[in-house]
Amino acid sequence: MKIAIIGAGFGGMAAAYDLRKAGHEVIIYESANYVGGLASGFKEPNWDWSVEKFYHHWFQSDSSMLGLIEELGLKDKVIFPRPYTVLLYNGKWYPFDSILKALLFPGLGFGLDKIRFGFVGLYLRLTNDWKSLEQYTADEWMRKYAGRKVYEKMWKPLLVGKFGPFYRDVNMAWMWARLKARTTRLGTFEGGFQKFADLFADILREMGVEIRLGTQVKFIKRNQARPEQSRREKGLLVDAGGVVDSYDKVVVTTSPNLMAKFAPDLPQNYLKGLLELKSMGAVVMVLSLKHQLSKEGYYWFNLPKDAGYPMLALVEHTNFVSKEHFGGDHIVYAGDYLEVGHEYFSMSDEELLERFTPALKKFNPEFSRDWVKKVWVNKTNYAQPVPLVNHSKNIPTIQTPIEGLYFASMSQVYPWDRGTNFAVEIGRRVARMMLVTNK
Ligand SMILES: Cc1cc2nc3c(=O)[nH]c(=O)nc-3n(C[C@H](O)[C@H](O)[C@H](O)COP(=O)(O)OP(=O)(O)OC[C@H]3O[C@@H](n4cnc5c(N)ncnc54)[C@H](O)[C@@H]3O)c2cc1C
């Protein structure tokens, strides 16, 4: 078969790997001039490692990603340092990334609330019945079982931070997935995620996969060629700005909105399903600083929205991996999940830095503007799918109603939360489906 894959993120590349291994001709279209998609990174001339545009790490439970890395012979390049995640209580930061640390956290007192917190956490780690949980919103389920205080202190800030105005609508299976599939140790690739993406792309090219960078797909259509035309004509046409090629099968790995634009010939109910899926965008500033921001060496600060910070997360990357990889620069992320249309999307980098600067002093009173060497602001409309009650009924099928056209995106890895691990999982799943229905 001749197969086109739209998108050279980890989903698209994982699908390409298995399809090529099975002997098919595979061409990847990628609109950017680099591979890696949302997990891609960038590098200053004095850095040995790249920095992800949006903060990224792996969990030890990311078996699809770690399994693929092992297959590619790159296992020795994965490192799992032990950075510190902290939570705010009464103006002080407390470590909060293991069961022991959670039990010692003073924000819940040491009575019944802590016991409820512990039991709910344990239940969610042990149960696999997410189908029952998705019938409830996380807001109602947590209030009922964890109790108002535990919910409002621990879980509500997480929901509000990630989902903003939709926080009351998110289902409990999302919360379950978060607790189920996360570990204390966090991993990365020596050289950064971009290094891994580039090595993966090199391996694919050596296998014979063609990766067309800087090539934006506009339309995917059924090939209306009449039977008497050349036998080389395939079932689907991919139009990349006037250059049209025909394929037996096509996999799209972009957002549902883009999928609906590429293939307006999809039946109305499938298009409607794509367009009704909700998601949040993200705006993330990367700063290179002359000095360390968190003197305590904390990596990840969870910032409750009601504590008045202008961002959701502050992440000091060089408290996770050494500043030596970045020519001694200290790398800090300040970011938020936001609805598209939020003012941060239209602010200039300078305006956003103005907005964030006073908050940076709260992490280190000595911080001043002249610590900032450079900033980069990264924005995406499609960062975080929002799963509503009974969401499993709304997931678009991977095999679309158009024969040979497949869709495998972040919005379909449910009940799991999006992540590179699940991009690999769904990429390999779509490849398996295509191979089974190989005609
Ligand atoms: C703020 C933030 C933090 C995150 N943190 C983590 C984390 O810590 N750990 C983790 O594992 N994951 C994290 N993720 C999620 C992770 O980045 C994604 O789940 C994963 O990269 C998705 O891969 P994908 O291949 O499905 O999609 P994408 O990476 O989005 O790939 C789709 C590709 O399609 C390309 N494309 C779009 N339109 C066209 C077109 N018209 N023609 C051709 N190509 C096109 C895009 O350029 C892109 O390269 C984070 C994401 C965000 C936004």
Side-chain angles (χ1 to χ4, degrees), residues 6-13 29-32 34-40 54-59 62 65 193 215-218 253-255 258 262 282 284 299-300 336-337 380 382-384 408-410 417-424 426:
I6 319 303
F10 282 108
M13 290 202 289
Y29 290 77
E30 171 53 58
S31 55
Y34 47 83
V35 298
L38 274 176
S40 59
F54 303 97
Y55 36 76
H56 271 73
H57 48 239
W58 290 312
F59 299 102
D62 281 348
M65 177 56 93
F193 273 53
T215 308
Q216 190 173 23
V217 169
K218 303 280 185 200
T253 67
T254 66
S255 68
L258 277 178
F262 293 153
V284 173
Y299 164 59
W300 190 286
D336 212 338
Y337 293 95
T380 175
Y382 181 52
Q384 172 69 53
S409 70
M410 291 200 293
D417 195 14
R418 58 93 177 107
T420 52
N421 179 62
F422 298 105
V424 167
I426 201 170

Side-chain angles (χ1 to χ4, degrees), residues 50-170:
S50 63
V51 160
E52 290 74 54
K53 291 193 279 179
F54 303 97
Y55 36 76
H56 271 73
H57 48 239
W58 290 312
F59 299 102
Q60 284 173 305
S61 49
D62 281 348
S63 54
S64 299
M65 177 56 93
L66 297 174
L68 172 70
I69 292 174
E70 189 165 359
E71 262 178 68
L72 297 174
L74 299 170
K75 191 181 164 197
D76 58 330
K77 300 269 181 254
V78 177
I79 51 167
F80 267 90
R82 168 69 168 89
Y84 290 100
T85 296
V86 290
L87 193 62
L88 192 63
Y89 175 63
N90 272 354
K92 269 188 74 181
W93 298 104
Y94 290 88
F96 197 82
D97 52 12
S98 67
I99 293 174
L100 183 67
K101 296 279 169 47
L103 290 173
L104 293 172
F105 178 67
L108 294 175
F110 291 93
L112 187 63
D113 286 326
K114 188 132 293 172
I115 295 168
R116 287 181 87 167
F117 173 78
F119 271 114
V120 164
L122 191 67
Y123 171 73
L124 292 172
R125 286 290 289 207
L126 294 179
T127 184
N128 288 319
D129 190 13
W130 62 269
K131 275 261 185 192
S132 302
L133 295 170
E134 74 158 3
Q135 298 167 30
Y136 306 94
T137 66
D139 183 83
E140 64 180 322
W141 196 97
M142 278 294 194
R143 273 183 201 283
K144 183 166 175 190
Y145 294 104
R148 188 188 59 80
K149 186 170 173 195
V150 174
Y151 170 65
E152 289 190 350
K153 271 249 140 21
M154 314 302 300
W155 305 119
K156 188 175 156 190
L158 176 71
L159 288 166
V160 174
K162 272 243 154 152
F163 299 105
F166 304 119
Y167 87 90
R168 276 209 186 87
D169 308 325
V170 171

Side-chain angles (χ1 to χ4, degrees), residues 222-403:
R222 281 198 183 94
N223 192 348
Q224 305 295 0
R226 292 189 308 272
E228 64 268 24
Q229 280 184 306
S230 155
R231 281 176 55 223
R232 287 181 58 79
E233 293 293 343
K234 310 282 184 185
L236 292 165
L237 297 176
V238 173
D239 180 339
V243 181
V244 182
D245 284 310
S246 58
Y247 293 93
D248 295 294
K249 294 193 176 184
V250 177
V251 187
V252 176
T253 67
T254 66
S255 68
N257 268 332
L258 277 178
M259 175 65 175
K261 277 196 192 131
F262 293 153
D265 295 345
L266 281 163
Q268 273 313 310
N269 60 343
Y270 194 89
L271 284 176
K272 189 166 169 277
L274 290 176
L275 296 172
E276 279 178 359
L277 290 171
K278 286 194 168 43
S279 59
M280 299 292 286
V283 174
V284 173
M285 175 180 281
V286 186
L287 303 102
S288 74
L289 303 179
K290 290 180 194 159
H291 308 287
Q292 187 178 31
L293 191 64
S294 163
K295 283 184 179 156
E296 299 82 4
Y298 296 147
Y299 164 59
W300 190 286
F301 293 82
N302 286 304
L303 308 175
K305 279 252 154 104
D306 58 8
Y309 289 88
M311 69 285 271
L312 164 75
L314 188 110
V315 182
E316 189 157 0
H317 189 59
T318 38
N319 287 339
F320 174 40
V321 292
S322 169
K323 67 178 183 346
E324 305 312 324
H325 305 307
F326 308 98
D329 292 350
H330 296 263
I331 309 295
V332 170
Y333 293 98
D336 212 338
Y337 293 95
L338 302 162
E339 269 188 290
V340 178
H342 186 280
E343 57 168 339
Y344 286 2
F345 279 95
S346 49
M347 282 164 82
S348 69
D349 296 5
E350 200 48 40
E351 285 167 335
L352 205 57
L353 181 61
E354 259 336 294
R355 185 70 65 90
F356 287 176
T357 299
L360 296 176
K361 266 190 172 304
K362 294 189 191 177
F363 300 94
N364 186 333
E366 288 162 27
F367 171 82
S368 70
R369 264 299 285 274
D370 65 1
W371 283 25
V372 180
K373 292 178 75 175
K374 202 162 172 180
V375 299
W376 300 261
V377 178
N378 302 298
K379 301 174 182 173
T380 175
N381 288 351
Y382 181 52
Q384 172 69 53
V386 182
L388 307 178
V389 167
N390 293 323
H391 192 58
S392 56
K393 296 190 177 71
N394 304 329
I395 302 294
T397 53
I398 291 179
Q399 183 157 12
T400 76
I402 293 184
E403 197 189 331

